[in-house]
Amino acid sequence: MAEPMVVVDNLHVVYRVYGAGRDRGTAATALMRMVRRQRRASIREVHAIRGISFVAYRGDAVGVIGRNGSGKSTLLRAIAGLLPAEEGGGVYTDGHAALLGVNAALLEDLTGAKNITLGCLAMGMPPREVKQRFQAIADFSGVGDFVNLPMKTYSTGMGSRLRFAIASAKHQNILLIDEALATGDAQFRVRSQERIEELREEAGTVFLVAHNLRHVEETCNRVIWLERGEIVRMGEDVSGIIDEYVEASGGEPVVRDRALT
Amino acid sequence: MQQPDSSRLSGPGSLQTDVSPAIDRAGLPEDAGLPEDAGLPDEPLAEFAIDHGLKLSSARPPAVEYLRQLWQRRHFISGLATALNVSMYTEARLGQLWQVLTPLLNVAVYFLVFGELLHTSRGVPDYLPFLVTGVFVYNFTQRSFIIASRVMNDSLPLIRVLHFPRASLPLGYVLIELQQLVVSLGVLVIIVLVSGEPLSWYWLLAIPALILQALFNAGGGLIMARWGAGFDDVSQLMPFIMRTWMYVSGVLFSIQSLALIHGGLLARHPRLAAALQVNPAAVFITLVRNAILASQRLNQPGAAPYNAHRCGLYASFPDNHSYVTFSKFCHPVISEPGLWWLGVGWALAAIIIGFFYFWSAETRYGRG
């Protein structure tokens, strides 16, 4: 049997949202709270993941699909170790998982080149290796001359390309991609798909959250369908599950055009 | 689902918060939630994972391992410091000249207000270099603490994407301040030489004093970083706390002199005078002043054998030019070696407590 890379055991994630209730967070209410010695504005609990269990193995590319608010991003962030699991369950991984999200901006004021260098150093690459790989990373990101401009001048697509290039430069056992490729252009999508394929072959595990179902179908060998924090379907019949998901959510069926693969 | 952006404690807004986990299954297949081909092993998953050498993704590395990781990231820390230091002023037309201009303007304001208008220069033989040294040295601690209290929230994107020991961030920012201090010291040396201070081997003593201060700032910065990550209120409060700390640490006046001069608050409350002098900011400032300024080193209380008459003259007429240096005939509250021990103690205490305090919350930074 293949070697497990990610084991998710009865995972529950609860967000605790402060100040979400009737308390409108004005100075007066804050003062009253202190006078009455209450802890914080009313806490609302949002149960985002409700008891998920599964195992992902070496070489898997797992697509995570589901509607907005179904807990896809939360699941990835829990796998990355960035969200605490509730008592009684947990996420076990082989090494650290690298999470690539849309909002991640690295160091906005610094140039793309500096971001490449610092990002690689932060991941623990020795300086000599960073120097060696620098050009390859810059070329892969395809940002061209922009590499010497601050990252805040980048378009959304360029930013996510550079982040993907940095995070996938180091051999990561587990790579979590959260819509990060959605903003890239067609050419980059092909390249990133090749890179994901490579990572899988290097015996890693990739998780992909995407609303572009065709992209999931082209890239993944397994798929997890989440709805309100629970697993609806999970398995290796990727196109079958996607069809069922499309039918349930009342969307257009996926047009299977194999031109890109 | 939308990723929560800059707010640390927020969640998906579209989910219902019903206590019962009843799920609206309209439109879903009948057997939803019961995946058949999940491929789960028979044994309990936690045991299965541990048997295969997997670890809890949110586990915190042991302290020694954490230190090793930090050491391995030293190039990241120094690279981050240099890059941010350069980029900090790119939008200003004068660029990095501000590194020098900011402390100089501070000194100019303090000299006018406190030296000339309020006359806090009482009993200090050479006020301008005294003030410049104090402002520059205190500035190092002040900026380190204020920036460290903001760094965890400001770096959320980085924390969310990459795995690295989080202590790299506050340490990197304290290193920026150290680099800025070196620039300030260049200015300081020019001011001190122009004001007629002789070049001396004693100046080298400033190096160990500043290293101790840097350690103290790193430890304090780690503590500030954890506080600031927990409550935004901390970074709002920090400027006020730091300003108060400056006023009581003898940046603008000499605690030692005020403790001697008759009629002063500190002379009437010797315990208060002692408390102010052992505070870390005052310790480091005094150590650097004694190293660089001969007028401070030679006239500090205890520099000459005790002489009650002359000490009394200083205490009664601190502004009289004939007696302004007689402070050396008085008893010191804390002797020079005592100051060094205090400096070492503060530095070690801060760095050890700061490291463990920051490390024990390592897995909680950037969450929510």
Side-chain angles (χ1 to χ4, degrees), chain B residues 273-347:
Chain B
L276 292 190
Q277 285 187 56
V278 300
N279 107 60
V283 169
F284 297 123
I285 291 169
T286 313
L287 282 176
V288 177
R289 274 179 185 153
N290 285 352
I292 295 182
L293 308 175
S295 58
Q296 289 300 308
R297 181 170 61 245
L298 298 176
N299 298 322
Q300 63 178 322
Y306 179 66
N307 181 318
H309 173 63
R310 289 178 170 182
C311 176
L313 281 175
Y314 174 78
S316 312
F317 312 102
D319 294 334
N320 187 316
H321 278 291
S322 322
Y323 308 136
V324 76
T325 62
F326 280 13
S327 51
K328 59 179 174 257
F329 296 112
C330 298
H331 279 308
V333 177
I334 300 157
S335 64
E336 170 93 10
L339 278 176
W340 280 102
W341 284 116
L342 276 170
V344 171
W346 279 120

Side-chain angles (χ1 to χ4, degrees), chain B residues 100-337:
Chain B
V100 181
L101 283 178
T102 313
L104 274 182
L105 288 172
N106 269 330
V107 168
V109 171
Y110 291 140
F111 184 72
L112 277 178
V113 175
F114 293 97
E116 298 297 311
L117 294 178
L118 296 178
H119 206 52
T120 55
S121 55
R122 269 170 76 88
V124 180
D126 221 349
Y127 188 66
L128 182 63
F130 171 89
L131 177 72
V132 178
T133 319
V135 168
F136 284 11
V137 172
Y138 184 75
N139 207 35
F140 179 30
T141 296
Q142 177 174 30
R143 293 193 43 135
S144 300
F145 278 30
I146 289 179
I147 287 182
S149 74
R150 286 200 302 252
V151 63
M152 300 315 283
N153 287 343
D154 287 354
S155 316
L156 275 182
L158 198 63
I159 293 176
R160 289 203 171 136
V161 190
L162 300 176
H163 259 290
F164 57 91
R166 307 308 188 203
S168 313
L169 290 171
L171 293 181
Y173 276 82
V174 171
L175 198 59
I176 298 178
E177 295 310 323
L178 185 62
Q179 292 173 351
Q180 301 226 2
L181 176 76
V182 172
V183 176
S184 303
L185 281 181
V187 178
L188 175 70
V189 166
I190 294 169
I191 294 178
V192 169
L193 284 177
V194 166
S195 70
E197 195 74 36
L199 200 62
S200 136
W201 288 110
Y202 277 102
W203 285 25
L204 291 179
L205 278 177
I207 295 170
L210 290 171
I211 290 174
L212 288 177
Q213 194 197 2
L215 280 176
F216 172 80
N217 290 353
L222 286 169
I223 297 174
M224 293 304 146
R226 176 167 168 189
W227 278 351
F231 321 92
D232 284 334
D233 317 48
V234 173
S235 44
Q236 301 291 331
L237 262 178
M238 278 311 287
F240 302 101
I241 297 173
M242 294 310 291
R243 207 176 310 159
T244 314
W245 195 9
M246 179 178 86
Y247 290 138
V248 300
S249 296
V251 174
L252 311 165
F253 56 87
S254 166
I255 306 175
Q256 290 161 314
S257 302
L258 290 195
L260 298 172
I261 296 169
H262 283 321
L265 176 78
L266 291 180
R268 278 180 279 131
H269 301 277
R271 280 202 191 147
L272 181 63
L276 292 190
Q277 285 187 56
V278 300
N279 107 60
V283 169
F284 297 123
I285 291 169
T286 313
L287 282 176
V288 177
R289 274 179 185 153
N290 285 352
I292 295 182
L293 308 175
S295 58
Q296 289 300 308
R297 181 170 61 245
L298 298 176
N299 298 322
Q300 63 178 322
Y306 179 66
N307 181 318
H309 173 63
R310 289 178 170 182
C311 176
L313 281 175
Y314 174 78
S316 312
F317 312 102
D319 294 334
N320 187 316
H321 278 291
S322 322
Y323 308 136
V324 76
T325 62
F326 280 13
S327 51
K328 59 179 174 257
F329 296 112
C330 298
H331 279 308
V333 177
I334 300 157
S335 64
E336 170 93 10

Side-chain angles (χ1 to χ4, degrees), chain A residues 159-189:
Chain A
S160 68
R161 268 149 51 185
L162 189 68
R163 282 194 299 275
F164 181 80
I166 295 171
S168 63
K170 183 162 182 266
H171 169 72
Q172 307 273 7
N173 277 340
I174 305 161
L175 187 60
L176 312 168
I177 304 168
D178 186 2
E179 296 277 2
L181 310 177
T183 43
D185 51 26
Q187 185 203 10
F188 185 72
R189 238 185 57 206

Side-chain angles (χ1 to χ4, degrees), chain A residues 9 17 37-38 91 93 112 127 131-132 201 221 237 258:
Chain A
D9 174 26
V17 189
R37 315 197 116 226
Q38 285 169 353
V91 180
T93 53
K131 243 176 224 161
Q132 277 169 9
E201 278 161 18
N221 67 326
D237 175 18
R258 292 275 161 199

Side-chain angles (χ1 to χ4, degrees), chain A residues 1-10 15-18 40 44-50 53-55 57 67-75 77-85 89-107 109-110 114-115 117-127 152 163 166-167 172 178 211 222 225 227-237 241 244 247-249, chain B residues 1-6 8-41 44-59 61 69 72-88 90-91 154-166 168-169 173 230-233 363-368:
Chain A
M1 193 173 66
E3 194 187 331
M5 298 287 284
V6 178
V7 172
V8 176
D9 174 26
N10 188 28
Y15 286 106
R16 293 189 170 76
V17 189
Y18 295 102
R40 260 311 245 281
R44 267 175 65 159
E45 296 200 338
V46 180
H47 206 148
I49 298 279
R50 305 159 184 257
S53 297
F54 65 85
V55 179
Y57 296 91
R67 282 185 278 195
N68 285 337
S70 57
K72 302 186 297 291
S73 301
T74 308
L75 175 63
R77 300 184 63 207
I79 295 174
L82 296 170
L83 279 175
V91 180
Y92 301 82
T93 53
D94 183 7
H96 277 308
L99 174 66
L100 268 175
V102 215
N103 293 338
L106 299 182
L107 298 154
D109 290 333
L110 301 186
K114 278 273 174 242
N115 268 289
T117 312
L118 289 175
C120 291
L121 288 173
M123 292 189 295
M125 254 190 221
K152 60 186 169 196
R163 282 194 299 275
I166 295 171
Q172 307 273 7
D178 186 2
H211 282 289
R222 294 179 66 197
W225 169 12
E227 201 64 57
R228 307 237 169 136
E230 288 184 18
I231 293 178
V232 180
R233 282 264 190 269
M234 168 164 73
E236 301 194 350
D237 175 18
I241 294 176
E244 219 178 323
E247 200 182 317
S249 53
Chain B
M1 188 176 82
Q2 293 249 312
Q3 273 213 342
D5 43 28
S6 63
R8 277 164 303 120
L9 293 162
S10 70
S14 54
L15 278 178
Q16 294 299 305
T17 51
D18 47 344
V19 186
S20 62
I23 291 188
D24 172 23
R25 293 189 183 278
L28 298 186
E30 300 261 308
D31 56 346
L34 300 166
E36 289 136 26
D37 51 351
L40 294 183
L45 280 174
E47 287 172 27
F48 173 75
I50 289 160
D51 285 349
H52 283 85
L54 305 190
K55 294 206 175 72
L56 265 180
S57 67
S58 54
Q69 286 182 10
Q72 209 240 331
R73 296 304 201 285
R74 62 193 182 279
H75 300 290
F76 169 60
I77 298 175
S78 59
L80 181 76
T82 313
L84 289 174
N85 204 355
V86 173
S87 81
M88 204 174 282
T90 44
E91 306 229 321
D154 287 354
S155 316
L156 275 182
L158 198 63
I159 293 176
R160 289 203 171 136
V161 190
L162 300 176
H163 259 290
F164 57 91
R166 307 308 188 203
S168 313
L169 290 171
Y173 276 82
F231 321 92
D232 284 334
D233 317 48
T363 56
R364 296 212 293 274
Y365 302 116
R367 281 205 170 155

